[in-house]
Amino acid sequence: MKTLSPLVILLTFSSILSHAQYSMGLYLASRYGGYPLTIETLSMDVTISVERAVATLDFTFFNEMDHVLEGDFKLPLQDGQSVYRLALQVGNQLREASVVEKNQGRESFEAIARRKVDPALLEKTAGNIYTTKIYPIPRKGTRRVVIGLEETLRVKDGSYHYQFPLSFSGDINKFNLSVSSDNQELTTARIGEETISLDYSDTQDEGRYSMISLQSGNRLNISVPKTTDSSAQVRVEKNRSTGEVYFSAQVPLRKVQNTKKPRSISLLWDTSFSGIKRNHEKDVALVLEYLKTVRRASVDLICFDLEMHTSKTFKTTKDGLRNLQSALSAIQYNGATRWASLKLASHRADRILLVSDGITTLGDPPPELPAVPIYAINSSSQADHEFLNRMCPKSGGHYVNTQKLSSNEAIHILEFPPLPKTAVQVASGKIEQLTYRVI
């Protein structure tokens, strides 16, 4: 009898960029055509507690072919999401994975493979896409994949808002949703523009909803009114897989007085091939709308991919912005990205606007930061959100993810003063990483 070994999640980073834009799903290996398998059922469980959301997605995929197949499960993560769970069906059992250090993971992977047992290798590739190989997928049979995601929620109009793009590799034959929160009675949910009714008849702990044939491409929106006051909220929790302890604090800011407007702006525009996936019309409109609020300023437009190209200077006058719009609309997207070409530390403008998905294709190290704040704008769902979220606050700027923000919210963040440098004293132990941002 074959012994089932524990699955291993090994997070590795690939410098190879795939220009295909994947939605979440199970895709057959290229030798079988690379097309997605049918999603028989998806059961989604969402738990919202204070500002934290935990979602478990239980997929059942169906192989209609008359032979055993191999595939790749693709998981494009959104801004702020992290994976805390992976479980795969092995035989008739669901086997949980464990997270290990990269070097240990490689050793475990090779050791399990030598025992002729298929381990799970979860790899992170460019575009914030996680992928793991699935084998075997039985003939005329099904295979389950369970993914757990967690994230911190935004507060808007007194409510926590959870958004999840229901963009999958294909339509779902049956969709089951369960929602639990700290404020069940006032929790509302929508799929697209349609409000759905959560059924609490079976249990008071969670509301349930089911539908046949969910069309891919919609968005799930869940709103939970806050039950706490506007004072600081502090939370300490342990990561379910790694055991690392996280501390988070949401502190209401006093009304911030408008600071001096920038007089010089470096507009760095990513023209690499992955930029094709961005919403160019949205990017241009946001940049122009912001620049209208900055009077008597000069804007240096610098396009970059593998190299930094010659800059052009525009004034924030009516004619100047019209010329800038024409220049941005004429941009062609091609080639790879290399952060070193930007020479960020050499920029002397009052502010940097970086329009990019943050993806580098050559695996070069993070750029040396300038002495001025960086405000990054991204409109693509496939982006290196982690890098942009880390880089911008370190420079004193902000990351503007227009996938999550309305135009007015994005403008508000672009107008927000640079973040102050924050000093943190630790009584004992050590801090591995400190990040902060306006939400």
Side-chain angles (χ1 to χ4, degrees):
M1 179 177 178
K2 183 185 289 187
T3 301
L4 293 176
S5 300
L7 298 174
V8 176
I9 298 179
L10 170 61
L11 299 183
T12 62
F13 296 85
S14 171
S15 61
I16 301 174
L17 173 65
S18 172
H19 297 309
Q21 186 160 353
Y22 288 102
S23 297
M24 193 181 304
L26 179 55
Y27 297 80
L28 293 183
S30 57
R31 63 179 178 275
Y32 297 118
Y35 61 86
L37 258 66
T38 299
I39 304 176
E40 191 71 21
T41 61
L42 169 59
S43 296
M44 184 174 181
D45 179 83
V46 181
T47 301
I48 297 175
S49 178
V50 193
E51 81 283 2
R52 200 70 175 165
V54 176
T56 302
L57 289 84
D58 189 338
F59 290 91
T60 299
F61 297 96
F62 177 67
N63 173 17
E64 60 186 20
M65 305 293 286
D66 201 26
H67 52 273
V68 175
L69 298 174
E70 176 186 351
D72 294 296
F73 180 76
K74 302 288 185 180
L75 174 64
L77 289 191
Q78 304 301 304
D79 179 19
Q81 288 181 337
S82 60
V83 180
Y84 79 85
R85 182 188 180 196
L86 168 65
L88 301 181
Q89 178 187 353
V90 180
N92 294 323
Q93 294 183 323
L94 195 63
R95 304 294 295 181
E96 297 287 341
S98 58
V99 177
V100 297
E101 295 294 333
K102 182 174 181 178
N103 292 337
Q104 182 186 349
R106 175 57 64 184
E107 294 172 0
S108 300
F109 179 83
E110 292 174 352
I112 294 172
R114 283 195 295 271
R115 297 203 300 269
K116 297 183 179 181
V117 177
D118 292 306
L121 177 65
L122 184 64
E123 297 180 288
K124 181 184 178 184
T125 61
N128 215 30
I129 298 176
Y130 286 75
T131 180
T132 185
K133 288 193 177 298
I134 306 295
Y135 179 85
I137 308 170
R139 56 183 292 273
K140 299 290 185 181
T142 60
R143 188 76 188 265
R144 282 178 68 195
V145 178
V146 179
I147 288 288
L149 305 173
E150 54 186 357
E151 63 183 284
T152 300
L153 301 180
R154 294 192 308 119
V155 178
K156 181 182 178 183
D157 299 330
S159 295
Y160 293 109
H161 292 273
Y162 175 75
Q163 296 183 335
F164 191 91
L166 299 173
S167 298
F168 303 103
S169 54
D171 296 343
I172 298 168
N173 289 345
K174 185 175 182 181
F175 176 66
N176 302 311
L177 173 68
S178 65
V179 179
S180 59
S181 72
D182 296 332
N183 197 347
Q184 294 282 63
E185 292 182 358
L186 299 178
T187 296
T188 59
R190 289 184 294 111
I191 293 180
E193 298 301 321
E194 180 182 353
T195 299
I196 61 176
S197 178
L198 297 174
D199 181 9
Y200 292 91
S201 59
D202 292 337
T203 172
Q204 295 299 313
D205 295 332
E206 60 183 23
R208 297 177 179 174
Y209 172 81
S210 295
M211 67 179 296
I212 302 297
S213 187
L214 171 66
Q215 186 174 8
S216 175
N218 280 310
R219 182 176 290 268
L220 172 65
N221 295 275
I222 301 175
S223 177
V224 181
K226 291 177 62 177
T227 57
T228 56
D229 58 27
S230 60
S231 59
Q233 298 179 32
V234 177
R235 188 181 184 91
V236 178
E237 61 182 287
K238 181 179 289 188
N239 184 283
R240 300 160 185 260
S241 297
T242 65
E244 294 176 320
V245 176
Y246 292 86
F247 165 86
S248 65
Q250 290 191 21
V251 181
L253 296 175
R254 298 174 182 173
K255 186 174 182 179
V256 180
Q257 300 297 325
N258 288 331
T259 57
K260 184 180 178 181
K261 297 284 188 180
R263 289 289 174 260
S264 59
I265 296 173
S266 288
L267 176 56
L268 309 181
W269 203 277
D270 185 350
T271 62
S272 62
F273 188 77
S274 66
I276 290 178
K277 302 173 186 176
R278 300 202 310 266
N279 187 329
H280 306 139
E281 183 177 343
K282 192 174 186 179
D283 290 341
V284 172
L286 177 60
V287 168
L288 293 177
E289 192 64 28
Y290 165 69
L291 292 178
K292 288 177 183 178
T293 70
V294 185
R295 300 178 181 178
R296 296 186 297 276
S298 62
V299 180
D300 290 330
L301 171 61
I302 303 171
C303 297
F304 71 96
D305 40 50
L306 278 175
E307 303 294 337
M308 184 170 63
H309 303 290
T310 305
S311 64
K312 296 179 181 179
T313 302
F314 302 85
K315 298 294 184 182
T316 56
T317 61
K318 186 175 181 179
D319 289 340
L321 293 180
R322 186 184 300 114
N323 292 334
L324 175 59
Q325 181 177 12
S326 298
L328 294 175
S329 300
I331 288 176
Q332 300 294 315
Y333 296 86
N334 199 8
T337 312
R338 188 164 63 100
W339 289 115
S341 69
L342 274 178
K343 301 177 182 177
L344 282 175
S346 66
H347 288 268
R348 294 293 179 262
D350 294 334
R351 181 172 297 191
I352 292 176
L353 293 184
L354 171 66
V355 182
S356 172
D357 54 22
I359 298 173
T360 177
T361 47
L362 295 182
D364 52 345
E368 183 181 351
L369 296 182
V372 297
I374 300 174
Y375 288 68
I377 299 171
N378 168 58
S379 58
S380 174
S381 59
Q382 289 191 15
D384 196 336
H385 303 291
E386 182 181 355
F387 166 69
L388 295 173
N389 267 318
R390 185 173 62 249
M391 176 182 67
C392 294
K394 280 186 177 180
S395 71
H398 306 275
Y399 173 38
V400 181
N401 180 4
T402 59
Q403 286 273 314
K404 281 190 168 184
L405 302 170
S406 67
S407 296
N408 289 337
E409 290 171 328
I411 290 293
H412 171 69
I413 294 179
L414 288 173
E415 291 182 319
F416 204 88
L419 291 170
K421 301 302 179 182
T422 303
V424 177
Q425 293 183 339
V426 183
S428 63
K430 65 177 182 177
I431 294 178
E432 294 289 344
Q433 184 176 333
L434 173 66
T435 59
Y436 55 101
R437 59 176 171 167
V438 176
I439 60 175

